[in-house]
Amino acid sequence: MLSSRQLFLNHVAQTSPFPLALEVHNAKGIYMFGSKNRKWIDIISGIGVSNVGHRHPKVIKAIQRQLRKYMHLMVYGEFIQTPQVQLATALSETFKTTLGQDFLDKNLYNDEENNNTEVAQNATYFVNSGSEAVEGAIKLAKRFTGRTQLIGCHNAYHGSTHAALSLGTSEQWKEPFLPLLPNIDHICFDSLPCLSKITEKTAAVIIETVQGEAGVRIPKKSFLQALRKKCSETGTVLICDEIQCGFGRTGKLWAFEHFDITPDIVVAAKGMGGGMPIGAFMASKQMMACLSDNPILGHISTFGGHPVSCVASLATLKVIQEEKLLENVEEKHELFRQLLNPETTKAIKEFRGIGLMLAVKFESFEFLQKVIAHCLDLGLLSDWFLYCDNSMRIAPPLIITKKEIKKACKIILEAIRLAEEDEI
Ligand code: PMP
């Protein structure tokens, strides 16, 4: 009989010639468990997904309760489905509490009237993944402004679909799939002079509030504020991609809260579902209304806002809020910084990050690969970044305790020592 590994290689479509091919039998909290009593600390949360840990009991309970009621009923947008309604309401509430206002695109309207009426509320459009949320957001911006030009950032990653790919700059990934979307330009991340590219022809600028796959790059507050100003001046929609940095990853529910800016559209996915697939783009109700008209059904989805994913997402949001998971993210950040920095070992060249979205830089990809392989042997799963292969990704579930952080760092330091030994 063929092994599970062989069947995986034979029948599950592969994304690279060298998959990790780790076989996990179950997962809980920050741990993943395999056969022969193997156990790994998941220090990357399944790439920014398990922010509340694997199989959080409250998320499981919410899913089980929903399974007794219904799963798919009808394509997105037609029926009143309580899980969607409750989640969308709770998400709107997060903007009200974080921004002190009900709605996102206040910057694009000059008239007081729009700012204070009932219309001034947020709406969430539910989809199934990050890339889909990005697609929806840029369609909305084009439809809202009547413009076609889109601007992305150098080294951005917004997903693998055609439009999402167009918004990044990696020629290596784009070239084989040309032609992509036309009329796209790029600005440097965190560079003020580039902002002059944004004009009255620009429909939207999309930016990861904190760049993820570029290796955790944090923009200056002054840059994001100048970007916000430029977008408002030119009537350009500012889209913040919070797919990786949102849902508590940086220590605030939304990363843009660190920078005192208000985007016009927020896109989320990954950590939002507590382990279930869901994505969303959120905007003012007024902006979002564009998608229900001229043409009607201009953006539709069969599974968007799946009720089981929505209850999981709402439970995740409540866990973050009720268990006050964001309160000690800063302390946990400091502990990682204290244990993994160029002073702890000369192999570490730099420690970057915000909240629990961290990167540890090494001399080379080859060295990092060795460290990661040793980590896996010693019981810890890490990774590098798509556009930054000399840095180790550290983004544990927010529920990680200080004791567990110490244990994880001890493994990483031992793996570094072993990698150094390999070099001799
Ligand atoms: N935007 C960002 C910032 C991401 O990190 C990712 C996924 N790594 C995406 C978009 C795409 O999300 P998905 O893989 O769910 O399509």
Side-chain angles (χ1 to χ4, degrees), residues 47 129-132 134 157-159 208 213 241 243-244 269-270:
I47 314 282
S129 67
S131 306
E132 262 186 82
V134 168
Y157 182 75
H158 296 292
E208 291 161 85
E213 295 311 312
D241 178 340
I243 290 166
Q244 194 167 146
K270 283 188 177 281

Side-chain angles (χ1 to χ4, degrees), residues 28-100:
K28 187 157 176 47
I30 67 158
Y31 294 101
M32 298 187 305
F33 303 89
S35 55
K36 299 186 188 139
N37 287 331
R38 296 226 55 193
K39 169 174 160 181
W40 299 272
I41 294 177
D42 180 3
I43 208 75
I44 52 177
S45 304
I47 314 282
V49 171
S50 317
N51 289 7
V52 296
H54 292 274
R55 295 175 55 244
H56 192 290
K58 289 182 185 161
V59 175
I60 303 257
K61 207 165 168 192
I63 291 173
Q64 286 169 336
R65 216 181 296 129
Q66 183 58 34
L67 287 177
R68 289 197 289 272
K69 295 178 187 162
Y70 56 84
M71 294 195 284
H72 177 83
L73 294 179
M74 178 57 170
V75 297
Y76 176 70
E78 295 296 330
F79 284 13
I80 301 168
Q81 299 193 32
T82 311
Q84 291 173 355
V85 175
Q86 289 183 344
L87 177 59
T89 307
L91 287 169
S92 286
E93 207 58 38
T94 68
F95 298 116
K96 199 187 246 175
T97 48
T98 59
L99 303 171

